[in-house]
Amino acid sequence: MYCIEASRKLQLQENEKLLGIMAFGDSILDTGNNNNLISLIKCNFPPYGQDFIGGKPTGRFCNGKVLTDLIAEGLGVKETVPAYFDPNLQSKDLATGVCCASGGAGLDPLTSSITSVIPISEQLENFREYIRKLEGLVGEEGANKIISNSLFLLWTSTIIKDLYEVGVRKIAIFSTLPLGCLPILRTLHGGLMRSCGDDDNKPAELFNSKLLAEMKNLSSFLPQAKIVYVDIYNPLLDLINNPVKSGFSVPDRSCCGTGTIETSVLCNQLIPFTCDNVSEFVFWDSAHPSEKAYMIIASPILQDLKKNF
């Protein structure tokens, strides 16, 4: 399509069901937008990325690929999704989508302000800028076609109406995680036994139930949109509660450092004790799943997305 190589152009002409992937949200989807921010919420240094292509840290909060990449790859769009602020971003990447998510963004704008990352509102403005660049590349009609036939991965419902107004029609909105079972929150709130905390999981469950209800409501008055709820709470909780079934042996600590508190700048190459058997750990750092965990979680998600899109 336009600046895309001929074989890709032919493929899209034959099957224009899904042309691109876009992502908005926080660190679960971020592929490197925090790298050049003055913030502590970043990970563009080892040991992050040790299992990514080339073994290089890219700003993904993982040892390898994150859900954005795995979904794009699984749906046949492209192998990885570049960050919108990747300095190496090429024009051809725009036509198949970019990631606008920012680690630490959270749902409350105050969270982004405190952590000095990109809030959801600014991610939306970056998307509008992306549209202008895309129009310059493929024209207004071509840009509209790509936007309406791309899948948008969201970590919040707050921007769905805004996205709909600019032509977005395919949306997958993610639940939150079982927060009380993240290694860092086990350490902070789980007592001496570092147990999963209901005080954190119950609000997460309530949030997810409200999100599902809101999604159904939005679907009723945005008739041209297809909105799918993506549950990652229960699949991750299943890995934590039944690790051996999926080939894990450590569900309560992370691979990086001591596995109890290290995440972002605290997970670095100067920290001792980082594991050499990450495939046995559900979590890479104390707040984020490992690539293997993401791959297992992504499998049923992809099946559902393929049925819907």
Side-chain angles (χ1 to χ4, degrees):
M1 182 174 287
Y2 302 94
C3 293
I4 306 174
E5 58 267 31
S7 61
R8 173 67 173 159
K9 181 176 181 179
L10 178 61
Q11 180 184 352
L12 293 184
Q13 288 175 339
E14 292 175 347
N15 179 15
E16 296 185 339
K17 197 172 183 181
L18 197 62
L19 302 186
I21 295 286
M22 297 289 302
F24 299 79
D26 65 4
S27 56
I28 300 299
L29 299 176
D30 186 6
T31 60
N33 283 306
N34 287 10
N35 290 358
N36 296 314
L37 299 181
I38 302 175
S39 172
L40 295 177
I41 312 299
K42 56 174 54 181
C43 56
N44 55 332
F45 42 79
Y48 285 99
Q50 66 177 29
D51 300 305
F52 192 73
I53 302 166
K56 297 179 179 179
T58 59
R60 289 166 169 81
F61 290 79
C62 190
N63 58 302
K65 294 179 180 179
V66 294
L67 281 175
T68 307
D69 303 309
L70 295 171
I71 289 172
E73 185 177 23
L75 294 176
V77 177
K78 52 186 175 183
E79 187 176 7
T80 61
V81 180
Y84 181 60
F85 288 114
D86 183 344
N88 298 314
L89 185 70
Q90 300 180 32
S91 294
K92 67 178 182 179
D93 293 322
L94 297 178
T96 50
V98 296
C99 175
C100 293
S102 174
L107 299 174
D108 185 344
L110 180 61
T111 303
S112 300
S113 177
I114 293 172
T115 56
S116 299
V117 298
I118 307 170
I120 294 297
S121 58
E122 191 174 330
Q123 292 178 33
L124 182 61
E125 288 305 311
N126 292 335
F127 174 62
R128 291 193 173 104
E129 180 184 71
Y130 158 85
I131 293 175
R132 293 191 292 271
K133 292 180 180 180
L134 186 61
E135 288 174 344
L137 180 66
V138 302
E140 184 177 353
E141 183 179 348
N144 290 339
K145 187 175 186 179
I146 289 171
I147 291 167
S148 63
N149 289 285
S150 291
L151 177 60
F152 284 67
L153 310 179
L154 307 183
W155 198 255
T156 173
S157 62
T158 58
I159 59 173
I160 288 181
K161 294 178 184 177
D162 296 286
L163 293 174
Y164 186 83
E165 289 176 357
V166 295
V168 174
R169 294 295 181 263
K170 303 177 189 293
I171 298 169
I173 183 162
F174 289 75
S175 73
T176 193
L177 306 176
L179 300 177
C181 296
L182 301 183
I184 191 168
L185 290 182
R186 284 176 180 264
T187 301
L188 295 175
H189 302 159
L192 293 176
M193 300 300 293
R194 299 185 63 256
S195 304
C196 284
D198 281 346
D199 288 345
D200 294 305
N201 279 350
K202 291 299 183 183
E205 291 173 0
L206 178 61
F207 171 83
N208 290 338
S209 64
K210 289 183 176 181
L211 180 64
L212 179 58
E214 183 183 10
M215 186 207 73
K216 292 178 179 178
N217 183 48
L218 284 169
S219 296
S220 68
F221 68 85
L222 300 177
Q224 296 179 41
K226 179 70 174 181
I227 307 174
V228 173
Y229 175 81
V230 178
D231 175 23
I232 59 174
Y233 180 102
N234 288 298
L236 180 55
L237 188 62
D238 183 57
L239 294 184
I240 293 166
N241 290 335
N242 304 286
V244 176
K245 181 177 68 174
S246 298
F248 297 105
S249 61
V250 187
D252 60 343
R253 291 182 293 107
S254 58
C255 174
C256 189
T258 64
T260 57
I261 61 169
E262 292 87 354
T263 186
S264 194
V265 295
L266 294 179
C267 174
N268 59 68
Q269 59 188 337
L270 300 178
I271 299 295
F273 313 122
T274 294
C275 77
D276 56 8
N277 55 340
V278 64
S279 64
E280 296 183 17
F281 287 73
V282 173
F283 291 93
W284 160 248
D285 68 15
S286 66
H288 304 97
S290 63
E291 181 187 54
K292 179 181 174 181
Y294 276 140
M295 291 177 70
I296 294 171
I297 292 169
S299 181
I301 292 174
L302 285 166
Q303 293 177 20
D304 191 40
L305 293 177
K306 287 175 181 177
K307 285 190 296 185
N308 283 284
F309 301 109

